[in-house]
């Protein structure tokens, strides 16, 4: 297994403006540490799903705020033709009015936050098909063999039944949320997985909290929707990246594609998102266990 340098300040090593914007909110927004502390000091049980549900609630709340800020930045860019400092000022007024993110609840540099939000909006507006030299750079580490989808492991560009799976490239951090179109944020993917993931950046954005399955891994594997499997894959990549200080892209490469379902707890227990995983750590040589 590859070794990485741990970075203690951020959840993982960012490779895009969208991740940097999220990390600014994590570092400086005064409300989320209060919420985090209150949840973890409450000593609740919640059916032995407390940690997972708490992580979901906090992550989903932060991503909702991030998306609102980026969308507002996009509106400001489209409606106001101003120099950068005036754009930041206009964005500040809109965000303070619509989301209450101001100097009262944000302890960092607000201009830096809104400048990063404008970068995210600019990247979202400039998305274009990936080809040419960029596609070659993304593919190079996996050659000379045929490319495989980083998520489902199907062969790309070769016949599969009555069709050939098209080679696409997935933005690990979505372009719509400020993801860079660069080799550090792209991986080969089949069109099915790329379209299923859509704009989901982290597992807390997926519709996972109401999913409950039958009591065995084998039967659950047949009924779990692909979107949920990809959310489980995202959770594993985030945990690996956090533990090892990698980018999310390098984490996906390290843990490999989705595998069979393995339960975290007793096989007799009913399964839901929070006690399933999509990797066998003994097979892939990566130790990972959800918290």
């Amino acid at each position: 297994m590859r070794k990485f340098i741990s970075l203690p300040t951020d959840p993982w090593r960012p490779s895009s403006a969208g991740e940097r914007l999220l990390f600014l909110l994590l570092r400086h927004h005064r409300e989320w540490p209060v919420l985090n502390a209150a949840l973890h000091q409450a000593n609740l049980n919640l059916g032995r799903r407390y940690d997972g549900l708490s992580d979901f609630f906090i992550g989903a709340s932060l991503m909702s705020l991030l998306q609102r800020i980026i969308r507002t930045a996009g509106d400001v860019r489209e409606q106001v033709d101003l120099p950068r400092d005036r754009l930041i000022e206009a964005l500040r007024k809109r965000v303070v009015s619509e989301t209450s993110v101001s100097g009262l609840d944000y302890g960092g540099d607000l201009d830096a936050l809104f400048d990063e939000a404008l970068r995210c909006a600019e990247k979202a507006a400039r998305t274009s098909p990936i080809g040419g030299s960029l596609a070659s750079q993304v593919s190079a580490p996996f050659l000379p063999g045929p490319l495989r989808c980083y998520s489902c492991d199907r062969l790309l560009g070769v016949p599969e039944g009555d069709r050939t799976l098209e080679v696409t490239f997935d933005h690990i951090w979505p372009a719509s949320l400020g993801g860079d179109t660069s080799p550090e944020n792209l991986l080969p993917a089949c069109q099915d997985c790329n379209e299923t993931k859509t704009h989901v950046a982290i597992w807390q954005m997926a519709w996972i909290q109401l999913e409950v399955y039958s009591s065995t891994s084998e039967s659950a594997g047949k009924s779990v929707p692909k979107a949920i499997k990809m959310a489980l894959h995202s959770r594993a990549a985030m945990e690996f990246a956090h533990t090892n200080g990698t980018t999310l892209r390098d984490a996906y490469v390290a843990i490999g594609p989705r595998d069979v379902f393995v339960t975290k707890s007793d096989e007799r227990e009913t399964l839901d998102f929070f006690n399933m995983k999509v990797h066998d750590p003994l097979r892939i040589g990566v130790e990972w266990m959800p918290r």
Side-chain angles (χ1 to χ4, degrees):
M1 186 176 72
R2 290 188 296 170
K3 293 183 178 180
F4 300 90
I5 298 174
S6 177
L7 300 177
T9 55
D10 291 327
W12 59 82
R13 183 155 54 89
S15 60
S16 68
E19 292 163 283
R20 291 192 296 271
L21 179 61
L22 176 63
F23 295 171
L24 286 173
L25 291 172
L26 281 167
R27 289 190 209 123
H28 301 300
H29 200 292
R30 295 188 173 106
E31 289 186 359
W32 92 262
V34 174
L35 174 62
N36 185 54
L39 285 170
H40 285 85
Q41 290 169 9
N43 240 357
L44 302 177
N45 180 26
L46 294 179
R48 293 196 292 181
R49 294 294 183 267
Y50 167 74
D51 285 339
L53 286 168
S54 297
D55 288 348
F56 168 79
F57 182 73
I58 293 169
S61 300
L62 282 166
M63 288 305 299
S64 174
L65 178 58
L66 177 138
Q67 290 179 87
R68 291 168 66 192
I69 292 174
I70 293 175
R71 180 58 61 87
T72 304
D75 291 345
V76 168
R77 282 187 67 253
E78 292 178 358
Q79 298 172 11
V80 184
D81 184 15
L82 294 172
R84 191 71 169 191
D85 60 337
R86 297 288 300 280
L87 275 176
I88 291 173
E89 182 181 350
L91 180 57
R92 177 200 286 260
K93 291 179 180 178
R94 282 280 304 272
V95 171
V96 170
S97 171
E98 296 174 14
T99 69
S100 298
V101 174
S102 68
L104 295 176
D105 43 26
Y106 185 81
D109 184 340
L110 279 170
D111 285 351
L113 178 77
F114 297 138
D115 187 50
E116 201 69 77
L118 285 168
R119 284 196 191 90
C120 291
E122 290 158 2
K123 292 177 186 300
R126 290 200 305 261
T127 55
S128 58
I130 298 165
S133 61
L134 179 56
S136 299
Q137 290 179 63
V138 178
S139 303
F142 307 99
L143 301 176
L147 294 178
R148 291 181 175 271
C149 175
Y150 82 95
S151 184
C152 69
D153 202 35
R154 287 190 291 177
L155 287 170
L156 304 176
V158 298
E160 181 183 86
D162 59 353
R163 65 170 180 158
T164 297
L165 290 181
E166 179 185 353
V167 179
T168 71
F169 297 96
D170 180 38
H171 287 78
I172 299 305
W173 191 270
S176 62
L177 298 177
D180 290 9
T181 303
S182 66
E184 293 74 27
N185 191 46
L186 294 167
L187 278 175
C190 70
Q191 188 170 357
D192 292 342
C193 287
N194 207 338
E195 292 177 352
T196 299
K197 180 172 175 267
T198 61
H199 306 296
V200 173
I202 59 178
W203 67 264
Q204 288 94 335
M205 294 177 69
W207 186 255
I208 51 89
Q209 69 272 32
L210 300 181
E211 298 287 346
V212 180
Y213 307 97
S214 59
S215 60
T216 66
S217 298
E218 182 179 357
S219 56
K222 297 175 182 176
S223 61
V224 175
K226 176 181 273 192
I228 303 301
K229 296 177 182 178
M230 295 187 75
L232 287 162
H233 196 204
S234 171
R235 185 181 67 175
M238 287 172 59
E239 184 72 18
F240 184 91
H242 175 73
T243 301
N244 296 282
T246 74
T247 63
L248 288 179
R249 178 197 178 279
D250 286 346
Y252 277 113
V253 171
I255 66 177
R258 307 187 312 262
D259 200 358
V260 296
F261 282 85
V262 182
T263 59
K264 177 188 175 183
S265 55
D266 193 311
E267 279 285 344
R268 294 169 295 180
E269 185 182 347
T270 300
L271 299 182
D272 58 42
F273 183 90
F274 299 108
N275 70 341
M276 290 190 294
K277 56 182 178 175
V278 289
H279 293 93
D280 179 352
L282 295 178
R283 184 186 68 78
I284 65 173
V286 174
E287 288 298 328
W288 174 81
M289 184 65 73
R291 292 176 293 185

